[in-house]
Each structure stands twice: as C-alpha cells, then as structure tokens.
CSV table of all heavy atoms in Angstrom, one decimal:
chain,number,residue,atom,x,y,z
L,193,GLY,N,131.0,15.1,-1.5
L,193,GLY,CA,130.5,14.4,-2.6
L,193,GLY,C,131.6,14.3,-3.7
L,193,GLY,O,132.2,15.3,-4.0
L,194,SER,N,131.7,13.2,-4.4
L,194,SER,CA,132.6,13.0,-5.4
L,194,SER,C,132.2,13.7,-6.7
L,194,SER,O,133.0,13.9,-7.6
L,194,SER,CB,132.9,11.6,-5.8
L,194,SER,OG,131.7,10.9,-6.1
L,195,ASP,N,130.9,14.2,-6.8
L,195,ASP,CA,130.4,14.9,-7.9
L,195,ASP,C,130.3,16.4,-7.7
L,195,ASP,O,129.6,17.1,-8.4
L,195,ASP,CB,129.0,14.4,-8.4
L,195,ASP,CG,128.0,14.6,-7.2
L,195,ASP,OD1,128.4,14.8,-6.1
L,195,ASP,OD2,126.8,14.6,-7.6
L,196,ALA,N,131.0,16.9,-6.7
L,196,ALA,CA,130.9,18.2,-6.2
L,196,ALA,C,131.3,19.2,-7.3
L,196,ALA,O,130.9,20.4,-7.2
L,196,ALA,CB,131.7,18.5,-4.9
L,197,LEU,N,132.1,18.9,-8.3
L,197,LEU,CA,132.6,19.8,-9.3
L,197,LEU,C,131.4,20.3,-10.1
L,197,LEU,O,131.4,21.4,-10.6
L,197,LEU,CB,133.6,19.1,-10.2
L,197,LEU,CG,134.3,20.0,-11.3
L,197,LEU,CD1,135.0,21.2,-10.6
L,197,LEU,CD2,135.2,19.2,-12.1
L,198,ASP,N,130.3,19.5,-10.3
L,198,ASP,CA,129.1,19.9,-11.0
L,198,ASP,C,128.5,21.0,-10.3
L,198,ASP,O,127.7,21.8,-10.9
L,198,ASP,CB,128.2,18.7,-11.1
L,198,ASP,CG,128.7,17.7,-12.1
L,198,ASP,OD1,129.6,18.0,-12.9
L,198,ASP,OD2,128.2,16.5,-12.1
L,199,ARG,N,128.6,21.2,-9.0
L,199,ARG,CA,128.0,22.2,-8.2
L,199,ARG,C,128.9,23.4,-8.0
L,199,ARG,O,128.6,24.3,-7.2
L,199,ARG,CB,127.5,21.7,-6.9
L,199,ARG,CG,126.6,20.5,-7.0
L,199,ARG,CD,125.9,20.2,-5.7
L,199,ARG,NE,126.9,19.8,-4.7
L,199,ARG,CZ,127.4,18.6,-4.5
L,199,ARG,NH1,127.1,17.6,-5.3
L,199,ARG,NH2,128.3,18.4,-3.5
L,200,ARG,N,130.1,23.4,-8.6
L,200,ARG,CA,131.1,24.5,-8.3
L,200,ARG,C,131.6,25.1,-9.6
L,200,ARG,O,132.7,24.8,-10.1
L,200,ARG,CB,132.2,23.9,-7.5
L,200,ARG,CG,131.8,23.5,-6.1
L,200,ARG,CD,132.6,22.5,-5.3
L,200,ARG,NE,134.0,23.1,-5.1
L,200,ARG,CZ,134.9,22.4,-4.4
L,200,ARG,NH1,134.6,21.2,-3.9
L,200,ARG,NH2,136.1,23.0,-4.2
L,201,PRO,N,130.8,26.0,-10.2
L,201,PRO,CA,131.1,26.6,-11.4
L,201,PRO,C,132.4,27.4,-11.4
L,201,PRO,O,133.1,27.5,-12.4
L,201,PRO,CB,129.9,27.5,-11.8
L,201,PRO,CG,129.2,27.7,-10.5
L,201,PRO,CD,129.4,26.5,-9.7
L,202,GLN,N,132.7,28.1,-10.3
L,202,GLN,CA,133.9,28.8,-10.2
L,202,GLN,C,135.1,28.0,-10.3
L,202,GLN,O,136.1,28.4,-10.9
L,202,GLN,CB,133.9,29.6,-8.9
L,202,GLN,CG,132.9,30.8,-8.8
L,202,GLN,CD,133.3,31.9,-9.7
L,202,GLN,OE1,134.4,32.1,-10.1
L,202,GLN,NE2,132.3,32.7,-10.1
L,203,LEU,N,135.1,26.8,-9.7
L,203,LEU,CA,136.2,25.9,-9.8
L,203,LEU,C,136.4,25.4,-11.2
L,203,LEU,O,137.5,25.3,-11.8
L,203,LEU,CB,136.1,24.7,-8.8
L,203,LEU,CG,137.2,23.7,-8.8
L,203,LEU,CD1,138.6,24.4,-8.6
L,203,LEU,CD2,137.0,22.6,-7.8
L,204,SER,N,135.2,25.1,-11.9
L,204,SER,CA,135.3,24.7,-13.3
L,204,SER,C,135.9,25.8,-14.1
L,204,SER,O,136.7,25.6,-15.0
L,204,SER,CB,133.9,24.4,-13.8
L,204,SER,OG,133.4,23.2,-13.2
L,205,ALA,N,135.5,27.1,-13.8
L,205,ALA,CA,136.0,28.2,-14.6
L,205,ALA,C,137.5,28.4,-14.3
L,205,ALA,O,138.3,28.7,-15.2
L,205,ALA,CB,135.3,29.5,-14.2
L,206,ALA,N,137.9,28.2,-13.1
L,206,ALA,CA,139.4,28.3,-12.8
L,206,ALA,C,140.2,27.3,-13.5
L,206,ALA,O,141.3,27.6,-14.0
L,206,ALA,CB,139.5,28.1,-11.2
L,207,ILE,N,139.7,26.0,-13.6
L,207,ILE,CA,140.3,25.0,-14.3
L,207,ILE,C,140.5,25.3,-15.8
L,207,ILE,O,141.5,25.2,-16.4
L,207,ILE,CB,139.6,23.6,-14.2
L,207,ILE,CG1,139.8,23.1,-12.7
L,207,ILE,CG2,140.2,22.6,-15.1
L,207,ILE,CD1,139.0,21.9,-12.4
L,208,ALA,N,139.4,25.9,-16.4
L,208,ALA,CA,139.4,26.2,-17.8
L,208,ALA,C,140.5,27.4,-18.0
L,208,ALA,O,141.2,27.3,-19.0
L,208,ALA,CB,138.0,26.7,-18.2
L,209,ASP,N,140.5,28.3,-17.1
L,209,ASP,CA,141.4,29.4,-17.2
L,209,ASP,C,142.9,28.9,-17.1
L,209,ASP,O,143.8,29.4,-17.8
L,209,ASP,CB,141.1,30.5,-16.2
L,209,ASP,CG,141.5,31.9,-16.6
L,209,ASP,OD1,141.6,32.1,-17.9
L,209,ASP,OD2,141.6,32.8,-15.8
L,210,ALA,N,143.1,28.0,-16.2
L,210,ALA,CA,144.4,27.5,-15.9
L,210,ALA,C,144.9,26.7,-17.2
L,210,ALA,O,146.1,26.7,-17.6
L,210,ALA,CB,144.4,26.6,-14.7
L,211,ARG,N,144.0,26.0,-17.8
L,211,ARG,CA,144.3,25.2,-19.0
L,211,ARG,C,144.7,26.2,-20.1
L,211,ARG,O,145.7,26.0,-20.9
L,211,ARG,CB,143.2,24.4,-19.5
L,211,ARG,CG,142.9,23.1,-18.7
L,211,ARG,CD,141.6,22.5,-19.2
L,211,ARG,NE,141.4,21.2,-18.6
L,211,ARG,CZ,140.2,20.6,-18.7
L,211,ARG,NH1,139.2,21.1,-19.4
L,211,ARG,NH2,140.1,19.4,-18.1
L,212,ARG,N,144.0,27.3,-20.3
L,212,ARG,CA,144.2,28.3,-21.3
L,212,ARG,C,145.6,29.0,-21.0
L,212,ARG,O,146.4,29.2,-22.0
L,212,ARG,CB,143.1,29.4,-21.3
L,212,ARG,CG,143.3,30.4,-22.3
L,212,ARG,CD,142.2,31.5,-22.3
L,212,ARG,NE,142.1,32.1,-21.0
L,212,ARG,CZ,142.9,33.1,-20.6
L,212,ARG,NH1,143.8,33.6,-21.5
L,212,ARG,NH2,142.8,33.7,-19.4
L,213,MET,N,145.9,29.2,-19.8
L,213,MET,CA,147.2,29.9,-19.5
L,213,MET,C,148.3,28.9,-19.3
L,213,MET,O,149.5,29.4,-19.1
L,213,MET,CB,147.0,30.8,-18.2
L,213,MET,CG,146.1,32.0,-18.4
L,213,MET,SD,146.1,33.0,-16.8
L,213,MET,CE,147.8,33.4,-16.7
L,214,ARG,N,148.0,27.6,-19.1
L,214,ARG,CA,149.0,26.6,-18.8
L,214,ARG,C,149.7,26.9,-17.5
L,214,ARG,O,150.9,27.0,-17.5
L,214,ARG,CB,149.9,26.4,-20.0
L,214,ARG,CG,149.3,26.0,-21.3
L,214,ARG,CD,150.3,25.8,-22.4
L,214,ARG,NE,149.7,25.3,-23.6
L,214,ARG,CZ,150.3,25.1,-24.8
L,214,ARG,NH1,151.6,25.2,-24.8
L,214,ARG,NH2,149.6,24.7,-25.8
L,215,CYS,N,148.9,27.2,-16.5
L,215,CYS,CA,149.5,27.5,-15.2
L,215,CYS,C,148.8,26.7,-14.1
L,215,CYS,O,147.7,26.2,-14.3
L,215,CYS,CB,149.5,29.0,-15.0
L,215,CYS,SG,147.8,29.6,-14.7
L,216,PRO,N,149.3,26.7,-12.9
L,216,PRO,CA,148.7,26.0,-11.8
L,216,PRO,C,147.6,26.8,-11.1
L,216,PRO,O,147.5,28.0,-11.3
L,216,PRO,CB,149.8,25.6,-10.9
L,216,PRO,CG,150.8,26.8,-11.1
L,216,PRO,CD,150.7,27.1,-12.6
L,217,ILE,N,146.8,26.1,-10.3
L,217,ILE,CA,145.8,26.7,-9.4
L,217,ILE,C,146.3,26.6,-8.0
L,217,ILE,O,146.7,25.5,-7.6
L,217,ILE,CB,144.4,26.0,-9.6
L,217,ILE,CG1,143.9,26.2,-11.0
L,217,ILE,CG2,143.4,26.6,-8.5
L,217,ILE,CD1,142.6,25.5,-11.3
L,218,ILE,N,146.2,27.7,-7.3
L,218,ILE,CA,146.7,27.7,-5.9
L,218,ILE,C,145.5,27.8,-4.9
L,218,ILE,O,144.6,28.6,-5.2
L,218,ILE,CB,147.6,28.9,-5.6
L,218,ILE,CG1,148.8,28.9,-6.5
L,218,ILE,CG2,148.1,28.9,-4.1
L,218,ILE,CD1,149.8,30.1,-6.2
L,219,VAL,N,145.5,26.9,-3.9
L,219,VAL,CA,144.5,27.0,-2.9
L,219,VAL,C,145.2,27.2,-1.6
L,219,VAL,O,146.3,26.8,-1.4
L,219,VAL,CB,143.6,25.8,-2.9
L,219,VAL,CG1,142.7,25.7,-4.1
L,219,VAL,CG2,144.4,24.5,-2.7
L,220,ALA,N,144.5,27.7,-0.6
L,220,ALA,CA,145.2,28.0,0.7
L,220,ALA,C,145.4,26.6,1.4
L,220,ALA,O,146.5,26.3,1.9
L,220,ALA,CB,144.3,28.9,1.6
L,221,LYS,N,144.3,25.8,1.5
L,221,LYS,CA,144.4,24.5,2.2
L,221,LYS,C,143.7,23.5,1.3
L,221,LYS,O,142.9,23.8,0.5
L,221,LYS,CB,143.7,24.5,3.5
L,221,LYS,CG,144.3,25.5,4.5
L,221,LYS,CD,143.7,25.5,5.8
L,221,LYS,CE,144.4,26.4,6.8
L,221,LYS,NZ,143.7,26.3,8.2
L,222,LEU,N,144.1,22.2,1.5
L,222,LEU,CA,143.6,21.2,0.6
L,222,LEU,C,142.0,21.0,0.8
L,222,LEU,O,141.3,20.7,-0.2
L,222,LEU,CB,144.2,19.8,1.0
L,222,LEU,CG,143.8,18.6,0.1
L,222,LEU,CD1,144.2,18.9,-1.3
L,222,LEU,CD2,144.5,17.3,0.6
L,223,ASP,N,141.5,21.2,2.0
L,223,ASP,CA,140.1,21.1,2.2
L,223,ASP,C,139.2,22.2,1.5
L,223,ASP,O,138.0,22.1,1.4
L,223,ASP,CB,139.7,21.1,3.7
L,223,ASP,CG,140.0,22.3,4.4
L,223,ASP,OD1,140.4,23.3,3.8
L,223,ASP,OD2,139.8,22.4,5.6
L,224,ARG,N,139.9,23.2,0.9
L,224,ARG,CA,139.2,24.2,0.1
L,224,ARG,C,138.9,23.6,-1.2
L,224,ARG,O,138.0,24.1,-1.9
L,224,ARG,CB,140.0,25.5,0.0
L,224,ARG,CG,140.3,26.3,1.3
L,224,ARG,CD,139.0,26.6,2.0
L,224,ARG,NE,138.5,25.4,2.8
L,224,ARG,CZ,137.3,25.3,3.3
L,224,ARG,NH1,136.3,26.1,2.9
L,224,ARG,NH2,136.9,24.3,4.0
L,225,LEU,N,139.6,22.6,-1.6
L,225,LEU,CA,139.2,21.8,-2.8
L,225,LEU,C,138.2,20.8,-2.4
L,225,LEU,O,137.0,20.8,-2.9
L,225,LEU,CB,140.4,21.1,-3.4
L,225,LEU,CG,141.4,22.0,-4.2
L,225,LEU,CD1,142.6,21.1,-4.6
L,225,LEU,CD2,140.8,22.7,-5.4
L,226,SER,N,138.5,20.0,-1.5
L,226,SER,CA,137.6,18.9,-0.9
L,226,SER,C,138.3,18.1,0.1
L,226,SER,O,139.5,18.0,0.2
L,226,SER,CB,137.1,18.0,-2.1
L,226,SER,OG,136.2,17.0,-1.6
L,227,ARG,N,137.4,17.4,0.9
L,227,ARG,CA,138.0,16.4,1.9
L,227,ARG,C,137.7,15.0,1.3
L,227,ARG,O,137.9,14.0,2.0
L,227,ARG,CB,137.3,16.6,3.3
L,227,ARG,CG,137.7,17.9,4.0
L,227,ARG,CD,137.1,17.9,5.4
L,227,ARG,NE,137.4,19.0,6.1
L,227,ARG,CZ,136.7,20.2,6.2
L,227,ARG,NH1,135.6,20.2,5.5
L,227,ARG,NH2,137.1,21.2,6.9
L,228,ASP,N,137.2,14.9,0.1
L,228,ASP,CA,136.8,13.7,-0.5
L,228,ASP,C,137.9,13.2,-1.5
L,228,ASP,O,138.2,13.9,-2.4
L,228,ASP,CB,135.5,13.8,-1.3
L,228,ASP,CG,134.9,12.5,-1.8
L,228,ASP,OD1,135.6,11.9,-2.6
L,228,ASP,OD2,133.8,12.1,-1.4
L,229,VAL,N,138.5,12.1,-1.1
L,229,VAL,CA,139.6,11.6,-1.9
L,229,VAL,C,139.2,11.3,-3.4
L,229,VAL,O,140.1,11.5,-4.3
L,229,VAL,CB,140.3,10.3,-1.3
L,229,VAL,CG1,139.3,9.1,-1.4
L,229,VAL,CG2,141.6,10.0,-1.9
L,230,HIS,N,138.0,10.9,-3.6
L,230,HIS,CA,137.6,10.6,-5.0
L,230,HIS,C,137.5,11.9,-5.8
L,230,HIS,O,137.8,12.0,-7.0
L,230,HIS,CB,136.3,9.9,-5.1
L,230,HIS,CG,136.3,8.5,-4.4
L,230,HIS,ND1,137.1,7.5,-5.0
L,230,HIS,CD2,135.8,8.0,-3.4
L,230,HIS,CE1,137.0,6.4,-4.3
L,230,HIS,NE2,136.2,6.7,-3.3
L,231,PHE,N,137.1,13.0,-5.1
L,231,PHE,CA,136.9,14.3,-5.8
L,231,PHE,C,138.3,14.8,-6.1
L,231,PHE,O,138.6,15.3,-7.2
L,231,PHE,CB,136.2,15.3,-4.8
L,231,PHE,CG,136.0,16.6,-5.5
L,231,PHE,CD1,135.1,16.8,-6.4
L,231,PHE,CD2,136.8,17.7,-5.0
L,231,PHE,CE1,134.9,18.1,-7.0
L,231,PHE,CE2,136.6,18.9,-5.6
L,231,PHE,CZ,135.7,19.1,-6.6
L,232,ILE,N,139.2,14.7,-5.2
L,232,ILE,CA,140.6,15.1,-5.4
L,232,ILE,C,141.2,14.3,-6.6
L,232,ILE,O,141.9,14.8,-7.5
L,232,ILE,CB,141.5,14.9,-4.2
L,232,ILE,CG1,141.0,15.8,-3.0
L,232,ILE,CG2,143.0,15.2,-4.5
L,232,ILE,CD1,141.1,17.3,-3.3
L,233,SER,N,140.9,13.0,-6.6
L,233,SER,CA,141.4,12.1,-7.7
L,233,SER,C,140.9,12.6,-9.1
L,233,SER,O,141.6,12.7,-10.1
L,233,SER,CB,141.1,10.7,-7.4
L,233,SER,OG,141.5,9.9,-8.5
L,234,GLY,N,139.6,13.0,-9.0
L,234,GLY,CA,139.0,13.5,-10.2
L,234,GLY,C,139.6,14.8,-10.7
L,234,GLY,O,139.8,15.0,-11.9
L,235,LEU,N,140.0,15.7,-9.8
L,235,LEU,CA,140.6,16.9,-10.2
L,235,LEU,C,142.0,16.6,-10.8
L,235,LEU,O,142.4,17.3,-11.8
L,235,LEU,CB,140.8,17.8,-9.0
L,235,LEU,CG,139.5,18.5,-8.4
L,235,LEU,CD1,140.0,19.3,-7.2
L,235,LEU,CD2,138.9,19.3,-9.5
L,236,MET,N,142.7,15.6,-10.3
L,236,MET,CA,144.0,15.3,-10.8
L,236,MET,C,143.9,14.8,-12.3
L,236,MET,O,144.8,15.0,-13.1
L,236,MET,CB,144.7,14.2,-10.0
L,236,MET,CG,145.0,14.6,-8.5
L,236,MET,SD,146.0,16.1,-8.4
L,236,MET,CE,144.8,17.3,-7.8
L,237,SER,N,142.7,14.2,-12.6
L,237,SER,CA,142.6,13.7,-14.0
L,237,SER,C,142.5,14.8,-15.0
L,237,SER,O,142.6,14.6,-16.2
L,237,SER,CB,141.3,12.8,-14.0
L,237,SER,OG,140.1,13.5,-13.9
L,238,HIS,N,142.2,16.0,-14.6
L,238,HIS,CA,142.1,17.2,-15.5
L,238,HIS,C,143.5,17.6,-15.9
L,238,HIS,O,143.6,18.4,-16.8
L,238,HIS,CB,141.4,18.3,-14.8
L,238,HIS,CG,139.9,18.1,-14.7
L,238,HIS,ND1,139.0,18.4,-15.7
L,238,HIS,CD2,139.1,17.7,-13.6
L,238,HIS,CE1,137.8,18.1,-15.3
L,238,HIS,NE2,137.8,17.7,-14.0
L,239,ARG,N,144.5,17.1,-15.3
L,239,ARG,CA,145.9,17.4,-15.6
L,239,ARG,C,146.2,18.9,-15.5
L,239,ARG,O,147.0,19.4,-16.1
L,239,ARG,CB,146.3,16.9,-17.0
L,239,ARG,CG,146.1,15.4,-17.2
L,239,ARG,CD,146.7,14.9,-18.5
L,239,ARG,NE,146.4,13.5,-18.7
L,239,ARG,CZ,147.2,12.5,-18.2
L,239,ARG,NH1,148.2,12.9,-17.4
L,239,ARG,NH2,146.9,11.3,-18.4
L,240,THR,N,145.5,19.5,-14.5
L,240,THR,CA,145.8,20.9,-14.2
L,240,THR,C,146.5,20.8,-12.8
L,240,THR,O,146.0,20.3,-11.9
L,240,THR,CB,144.5,21.7,-14.0
L,240,THR,OG1,143.8,21.7,-15.3
L,240,THR,CG2,144.8,23.1,-13.6
C-alpha cells in the first residue's frame, strides 16, 4: 500500500531521527522499505 507509512511508526521515527542527525537511513534490501513504487516515491519526498 502507498499509505503504508501511516502503519509503520518505527519508520516514521527513523525518518525523524535521521532528519535530526542529518544522516541517511540504511536498509538491508529495498523490499524492507516497500515493493510499492508510490510508497518509495513518497519516502523520497521526505528528502531523507
């Protein structure tokens, strides 16, 4: 789902922490973020 971020508080917290530290987030594989291209596009809009 493209709205999956609403159901993933830990990812939201990771993004907030990364913004505060001005650092990137590392994932093992892309599908650990999502297999949905719209969701990935939404994450990119956070500029993290």
Side-chain angles (χ1 to χ4, degrees):
S194 58
D195 63 340
L197 187 58
D198 290 341
R199 304 190 302 274
R200 290 159 67 175
Q202 290 287 338
L203 180 54
S204 294
I207 291 173
D209 210 19
R211 284 175 176 169
R212 180 180 60 82
M213 293 185 59
R214 297 183 179 179
C215 71
I217 296 174
I218 301 178
V219 295
K221 297 183 178 182
L222 186 60
D223 65 3
R224 295 307 83 201
L225 288 175
S226 178
R227 294 185 178 91
D228 188 296
V229 67
H230 295 295
F231 182 74
I232 297 295
S233 179
L235 287 180
M236 298 301 107
S237 70
H238 287 277
R239 300 188 182 279
T240 298

